[in-house]
Amino acid sequence: MRPTDRCSLARRAVARAGAAVALVPTWLLLKASTAFAADGSGQLGQTPPSLSWIQLTDSRGISIWNYELSLDRGGITSPDKFFWASITDTCWGFYRSGVALALWFLDWVMSFGWLSVVAAPMIAVGDAMQSVVQRVGAVPVLLTVAAVVAVAWMMRGRWATGIFELSMALVIAALATGVFAQPVRMVAGDNGLIVQSQQWGLELSAALADQTAAAGQSPEQLRKAQTGLLVDTFVRIPTEMINFGRVLDGGKCESDYTDVIQAGPYGGESDIRDKVGDCDSALKDYADQPTASMALGSLVFMPASFVILLMSLILAGSVIAAGCYAIYQSVKAIVSLVTGLLPGGSRGSLMLTFAEAGISLLIILFTSVFLGIFLQAVSYTHLTLPTNREG
């Protein structure tokens, strides 16, 4: 062997030894984090401590944090396994954390827990404005003015115009003192039009998915069911794909996987892949041999978390914006209902107020419908993914 070849082999050996030594701190950190979850001090498993406050479940009632990767992560004696498993864990961890944040934010917005905070001061403002309108007697005064103008038109021979304007003034006065006596509470109250729009959207989306899905279920149950489907779509199935190279749902190992996941979390233990391996040894073999293809699969999923987060921000942001705008229009309606008693262009402002409030409520309704249709479309794409089935 030539001296140059010997030097080349020596350099390679030194490089491999250096890489193995460099992996030691990371390996020790991984073992320490796994030990923390397994020693009973906290059932975190692979849950990021900073996100453990997020409590979401899938359609089976399993926590989003129970979906862990069960891999043979090797160690000092298997640096190749450790290397590919580390990449897979990192990419999948970013993906699951991003999806958890996105789905939590969307679920929080669609639960309308924020509405009471936003609506409370606006309801107080609306009540104060309504009280002022009643004290000054604005409705009867302006209604009288409208009647005088209408009679004047009729005396000048413009009977149609006079009768129409008087009729419109009477209708608006009836609405202002009746149905729309408290427009802000009507729109933003505990069971106001904003909340009802979301409920109608949930019921419609459930009916589109299954004609009997909405029967006998409360809006809260429908919302949780929708969130559960989102967790199934964006957490459960990707975890199966990364961990075992195929979708387990719909196959012979689905129930075994569900049972073992439900009993978690396990941290770095092998319970998940052992249970699935009892059903199909090929699946366990895949999880026991982290490779470049597994790491690449997790790397492909990682950018998807940003897409999901962006989608959630757009949908949730549109709901918040539409809700706030509807509340603003309801406050504006207090003035528009009074000025709308007068003949002329002021009624155009009243119609515009009603129209913009209606559009805002439709945005809230169709957001829930869109989520239902989107989930249906995604569920059909899952049929094309490789699935672990009999035969």
Side-chain angles (χ1 to χ4, degrees), residues 202-222:
L202 288 172
E203 292 173 0
L204 182 57
S205 63
L208 289 173
D210 183 356
Q211 294 296 327
T212 61
Q217 293 193 40
S218 67
E220 180 70 12
Q221 291 173 325
L222 291 174

Side-chain angles (χ1 to χ4, degrees), residues 15-296:
R16 290 176 181 175
V21 171
L23 290 175
V24 171
T26 310
W27 177 72
L28 292 175
L29 180 61
L30 177 65
K31 290 298 183 182
S33 62
T34 302
F36 170 79
D39 66 2
S41 60
Q43 296 297 321
L44 287 179
Q46 298 174 18
T47 305
S50 59
L51 298 179
S52 60
W53 52 271
I54 295 178
Q55 298 298 323
L56 296 176
T57 59
D58 67 0
S59 60
R60 299 164 179 81
I62 302 174
S63 171
I64 189 174
W65 302 121
N66 280 26
Y67 286 100
E68 303 174 307
L69 288 186
S70 180
L71 308 175
D72 184 351
R73 294 175 173 85
I76 300 300
T77 58
S78 302
D80 55 336
K81 286 185 178 181
F82 178 77
F83 178 76
W84 295 120
S86 297
I87 295 177
T88 303
D89 282 329
T90 301
C91 295
W92 173 82
F94 275 116
Y95 171 79
R96 187 179 63 158
S97 298
V99 170
L101 281 171
L103 297 188
W104 168 83
F105 180 62
L106 187 59
D107 180 72
W108 175 73
V109 171
M110 297 307 293
S111 69
F112 284 91
W114 55 271
L115 182 60
S116 59
V117 178
V118 175
M122 301 307 294
I123 289 176
V125 171
D127 290 344
M129 292 177 62
Q130 201 73 36
S131 176
V132 171
V133 169
Q134 291 174 356
R135 286 182 181 179
V136 300
V139 173
V141 170
L142 295 181
L143 183 59
T144 302
V145 172
V148 171
V149 174
V151 170
W153 278 336
M154 286 186 284
M155 290 177 64
R156 295 173 59 185
R158 300 174 62 181
W159 288 91
T161 302
I163 292 174
F164 173 78
E165 293 293 348
L166 181 58
S167 300
M168 287 297 298
L170 290 173
V171 170
I172 294 173
L175 293 175
T177 57
V179 177
F180 299 128
Q182 294 181 316
V184 182
R185 290 186 180 274
M186 180 181 179
V187 171
D190 293 337
N191 194 32
L193 292 177
I194 293 177
V195 175
Q196 290 182 22
S197 297
Q198 183 249 3
Q199 294 174 358
W200 295 334
L202 288 172
E203 292 173 0
L204 182 57
S205 63
L208 289 173
D210 183 356
Q211 294 296 327
T212 61
Q217 293 193 40
S218 67
E220 180 70 12
Q221 291 173 325
L222 291 174
R223 180 183 61 81
K224 289 184 177 180
Q226 190 175 69
T227 301
L229 290 175
L230 287 169
V231 175
D232 286 346
T233 302
F234 295 116
V235 178
R236 179 181 172 96
I237 291 177
T239 302
E240 295 172 358
M241 286 289 295
I242 294 172
N243 205 151
F244 301 105
R246 60 187 59 248
V247 177
L248 304 184
D249 292 356
K252 61 181 181 179
C253 298
E254 177 183 357
S255 59
D256 291 331
Y257 181 71
T258 299
D259 292 341
V260 70
I261 286 292
Q262 199 160 25
Y266 303 100
E269 302 300 325
S270 62
D271 300 60
I272 297 175
R273 65 180 185 273
D274 288 343
K275 181 70 172 180
V276 174
D278 292 339
C279 171
D280 189 336
S281 60
L283 298 176
K284 185 177 187 300
D285 292 341
Y286 184 87
D288 282 339
Q289 297 293 329
T291 60
S293 61
M294 179 186 289
L296 181 61

